[in-house]
Amino acid sequence: MRTLTLSRNDLILLAGYTLVVLGGPIIMAPLGAGYPDLLQKFVIFGIFAVGFNILFGLTGYLSFGHAAFLGIGSYTAVWSFKLLTMNPLPAIVLATLLGGLFAAVIGYICLRRTGIYFSILTLAFAQMSYNLAYSVLTPITNGETGLQLVQSDPRILDAAAGRDYGAVLPSSDLFGIPMNGYPGFYFCGVVSIVCFYLAIRIFRSPFGLMLRAIKSNQNRLNYTGLNTQPYALAAFVVSGMYAGLAGGLLAVVDPLAGAERMQWTASGEVVLMTILGGAGTLLGPVIGAGVIKYFENIFSAFNEGILMAAFDFLPEPIQHLMVNVTSLFVGEGWHLTLGALFMVIVIFLPGGLMEGFNRLSALVAGIVRGRRDGASARGA
Amino acid sequence: MGILSVRNVNKRFGGLKALDDVNLEVEAGTVHAIIGPNGAGKSTLLNCFVGRLEPDSGSVTFDGMSLLGIKPHEINQAGVSRVFQTPEIFGDLTLIENVMIPAFAARDGAFTLNAWGLVTTHGEIRARALAMLTDVGLADQAERPAGQLSRGDKRRLELAICLVQNPKLLLLDEPTAGMARADTNNAIELMKRIAGRGVTMVVIEHDMHVVFSLAEKITVLAQGAVIAEDKPEKIKGNHRVQEAYLGGAQL
């Protein structure tokens, strides 16, 4: 099985990713993020961003409508719970397939155009899906209330297996392991490791090379005998499947689905994640997703009381001044911090946080080499 | 009949007659130059060969197959490669990747969903690409991003991109435009070597030095019409050509 072997660097990357995910609860604890709900969000939105990056990072096609596939994944998973079984496996498989199916249709139409027109088309489709979910599709989506489980759901497969949830509202479980809390996180974590591995394969395959060529020079690619459209469509479908899977996992850990998941702000969020972390890099989107979800959950939880305590060591008037200034950036104002961070990164590190890490490691390597050269020069 | 045959091709842009009943036969295995003053319709004609422009009337056949109404990638898959006036390369990718892409296209066709096997496991493609880079003298820079190359080297790379596909017909649009003299001479040597292998070439060129060093046959266009077609030494003495192209000056 020689074709299964990754290069040494990629194996290290995969091993590192696996370690960080599995050790997440311990690693994130000092940052105040070591609790399952947030960890689940890290890995789920990591999957979403990694998939989005296969489209945007490799081909350069900027979709502004990927939240539609996230929402479709969530609705599909909840329907799978309602109609089939509370087991998460059929739910995520169906969510992935349906995400891919919708992406094939929407992508086929949107990829008639490139650049800004492509982005606008995807945005239009996503907003259409969002509005449909709120209005005419209410029988499927349950409109504003959102799609929820009820006791009287048929759950054909569970019923056939003789499983009865009794008078309580069922929650998703994998052969008896409940899918909330830490088990839910580990389930999503393992799925995300598989997704990350697949993304590495795609990046390093001839297919991935063609996608990068689309971004670099589509004209040359056409005159080199390659049909760019099916390549771009395949990338769109793959990223749609990742999004559908992420949406399905959101429903697995918390079995309800609402239309707000498809709103354009959610589509914009995944764009931010990818650019913040580094578009076109393997690890960047995951880091971007982590940073944004961290800010959203941790910074937004800061309140004046915490700030007062933090600036306790200052004289009272200065303490109040500091609290007034910093409170703009936390709590409700966490978007302000995120916006400022985003601006700083786009201006100074157009390659995202990954470019920052690479520059830093190059700098360190340079210093180390400089020392060694200096030492050997003295030695000579 | 030649490998590329152009019959009664007309093209209008509004009131301007860009191509006026153009006829052209390119014999297999020869270097055929198309020359003419600025605006004579040389690039328009070339664009009709590669699916970029559709003539208003007439036919363009390559190897017995019509080139009209089909897409650029289909024309390439039929065996026609093109070098552009400003080098079109994959600037963000390394040189070796630049040449592996056309090698994949030549082997696997216009679309293959090859997303599982790694690029590095396709050793044969890599070897072909590397041999091609060696051929054009760029092998030592194989892992560099192509965008960093000098213009002359970009041109070499673009030639490698085209040649790795073993095209039946190579179209060159001003292959030495903007090159220094030394680079031009290098490029001529390279193109002579390629021609020596029996690749049919159509060259559009302004530089007479290049044209007369390479071409076995020359077609002269002026105001969209063919005014002469002959061997280079005869073209030099043709009065109509000197009138149209050189304003009556002696060559």
Side-chain angles (χ1 to χ4, degrees):
Chain A
M1 294 298 272
R2 219 188 66 223
T3 53
L4 281 177
T5 47
L6 293 176
S7 75
R8 201 166 145 264
N9 284 346
D10 287 342
L11 278 177
I12 294 171
L13 189 65
L14 183 64
Y17 182 78
T18 308
L19 273 178
V20 171
V21 169
L22 297 183
I26 300 159
I27 296 166
M28 293 298 163
L31 296 169
Y35 58 96
D37 282 20
L38 184 53
L39 290 168
Q40 288 163 2
K41 283 199 180 114
F42 283 161
V43 290
I44 292 172
F45 282 92
I47 293 172
F48 189 23
V50 165
F52 183 76
N53 186 45
I54 288 173
L55 179 70
F56 173 57
L58 291 184
T59 70
Y61 276 94
L62 176 57
S63 162
F64 249 101
H66 260 53
F69 308 125
L70 190 78
I72 286 162
S74 288
Y75 283 123
T76 309
V78 175
W79 274 111
S80 163
F81 292 145
K82 287 167 88 71
L83 298 178
L84 300 175
T85 164
M86 291 308 295
N87 188 314
L89 294 178
I92 60 171
V93 169
L94 289 172
T96 310
L97 291 179
L98 229 67
L101 188 70
F102 275 79
V105 175
I106 293 178
Y108 182 79
I109 298 166
C110 295
L111 285 166
R112 309 276 106 194
R113 291 282 170 272
T114 57
I116 187 84
Y117 303 101
F118 167 80
S119 304
I120 296 292
L121 279 173
T122 52
L123 176 62
F125 264 109
Q127 282 304 89
M128 242 160 69
S129 315
Y130 167 69
N131 284 309
L132 284 175
Y134 255 130
S135 54
V136 290
L137 292 182
T138 302
I140 300 174
T141 62
N142 204 19
E144 246 173 280
T145 327
L147 191 62
Q148 290 163 346
L149 303 177
V150 287
Q151 255 171 271
S152 57
D153 286 331
R155 286 189 288 279
I156 303 167
L157 296 180
D158 282 349
R163 185 147 181 207
D164 188 10
Y165 289 90
V168 293
L169 204 57
S171 71
S172 174
D173 68 88
L174 181 68
F175 308 116
I177 309 164
M179 283 291 112
N180 46 22
Y182 280 114
F185 160 68
Y186 278 107
F187 179 73
C188 299
V190 169
V191 173
S192 93
I193 292 164
V194 173
C195 287
F196 192 69
Y197 171 68
L198 291 177
I200 298 179
R201 302 285 318 198
I202 291 173
F203 265 63
R204 306 291 183 236
S205 70
F207 173 70
L209 180 62
M210 299 309 168
L211 298 186
R212 281 159 62 217
I214 290 179
K215 185 179 182 178
S216 185
N217 190 343
Q218 193 159 155
N219 194 35
R220 177 29 93 194
L221 202 60
N222 278 320
Y223 284 95
T224 304
L226 289 152
N227 192 358
T228 51
Q229 217 131 54
Y231 279 106
L233 182 61
F236 196 93
V237 171
V238 169
S239 70
M241 289 170 82
Y242 269 77
L245 174 61
L249 287 173
L250 283 175
V252 166
V253 295
D254 185 11
L256 52 88
E260 74 289 341
R261 214 162 262 175
M262 302 170 117
Q263 218 180 351
W264 67 273
T265 47
S267 294
E269 197 181 55
V270 75
V271 179
L272 289 190
M273 287 171 179
T274 310
I275 294 176
L276 190 69
T281 63
L282 275 162
L283 211 49
V286 181
I287 295 173
V291 169
I292 287 183
K293 286 295 150 191
Y294 183 79
F295 272 73
E296 185 184 290
N297 288 276
I298 302 295
F299 266 59
S300 65
F302 283 7
N303 55 30
E304 289 213 352
I306 296 174
L307 290 176
M308 285 303 252
F311 293 111
D312 206 20
F313 61 95
L314 294 168
E316 199 169 321
I318 301 176
Q319 182 191 9
H320 279 284
L321 182 72
M322 289 304 286
V323 168
N324 283 338
V325 171
T326 48
S327 64
L328 289 173
F329 290 90
V330 296
E332 295 269 289
W334 72 272
H335 283 110
L336 198 57
T337 317
L338 184 64
L341 179 71
F342 190 72
M343 270 162 48
V344 168
I345 287 187
V346 169
I347 292 168
F348 295 104
L349 294 171
L353 289 168
M354 285 307 286
E355 187 184 335
F357 294 141
N358 289 340
R359 277 199 208 170
L360 215 61
S361 61
L363 196 70
V364 171
I367 291 168
V368 170
R369 203 177 313 126
R371 280 231 181 103
R372 205 188 303 140
D373 289 354
S376 60
R378 272 197 302 281
Chain B
M1 200 179 102
I3 189 167
L4 179 73
S5 133
V6 179
R7 298 269 165 84
N8 311 102
V9 165
N10 287 284
K11 180 76 191 172
R12 261 184 186 286
F13 294 115
L16 177 80
K17 200 146 178 53
L19 293 176
D20 185 2
D21 203 33
V22 172
N23 283 285
L24 187 75
E25 290 287 332
V26 177
E27 298 298 328
T30 63
V31 179
H32 194 129
I34 301 172
I35 64 171
N38 275 328
K42 304 182 298 290
S43 291
T44 308
L45 185 60
L46 195 72
N47 282 333
C48 290
F49 299 165
V50 291
R52 204 175 232 198
L53 280 179
E54 188 87 351
D56 300 330
S57 64
S59 71
V60 179
T61 46
F62 167 72
D63 219 5
M65 161 190 173
S66 173
L67 293 186
L68 302 183
I70 61 174
K71 296 221 173 80
H73 72 262
E74 295 168 316
I75 291 175
N76 176 280
Q77 288 287 347
V80 182
S81 284
R82 175 184 181 170
V83 168
F84 286 80
Q85 202 168 335
T86 39
E88 291 270 357
I89 54 167
F90 304 109
D92 307 323
L93 309 184
T94 63
L95 268 64
I96 187 80
E97 286 172 331
N98 266 269
V99 187
M100 283 173 80
I101 288 167
F104 275 118
R107 193 190 67 180
D108 300 339
F111 174 68
T112 326
L113 196 57
N114 198 347
W116 184 248
L118 304 177
V119 169
T120 45
T121 56
H122 295 266
E124 164 234 353
I125 293 281
R126 197 187 155 84
R128 264 176 74 188
L130 203 59
M132 199 63 239
L133 281 177
T134 312
D135 208 7
V136 297
L138 291 171
D140 51 332
Q141 307 186 62
E143 300 300 334
R144 253 180 103 187
Q148 295 176 1
L149 293 178
S150 71
R151 182 158 171 144
D153 283 348
K154 279 182 184 162
R155 177 71 72 193
R156 282 167 180 278
L157 177 63
E158 201 187 17
L159 269 172
I161 288 174
C162 291
L163 290 173
V164 78
Q165 302 190 305
N166 291 322
K168 293 184 206 152
L169 174 65
L170 182 61
L171 305 172
L172 300 130
D173 192 356
E174 299 198 27
T176 62
M179 272 193 194
R181 198 79 211 174
D183 276 341
T184 303
N185 286 333
N186 282 334
I188 292 174
E189 284 312 308
L190 181 59
M191 285 185 282
K192 271 187 177 166
R193 259 198 297 136
I194 296 162
R197 289 175 212 160
V199 178
T200 313
M201 287 160 75
V202 172
V203 188
I204 287 182
E205 189 52 79
H206 266 300
D207 189 331
M208 286 304 124
H209 173 56
V210 177
V211 172
F212 288 113
S213 327
L214 277 174
E216 291 154 76
K217 203 170 188 187
I218 297 176
T219 299
V220 187
L221 281 182
Q223 286 161 355
V226 176
I227 59 164
E229 183 176 81
D230 220 325
K231 294 204 162 72
E233 52 279 12
K234 297 243 173 92
I235 290 287
K236 273 189 194 174
N238 186 314
H239 281 289
R240 281 190 73 192
V241 174
Q242 288 179 358
E243 246 350 277
Y245 197 87
L246 305 160
Q250 286 289 323
L251 198 71

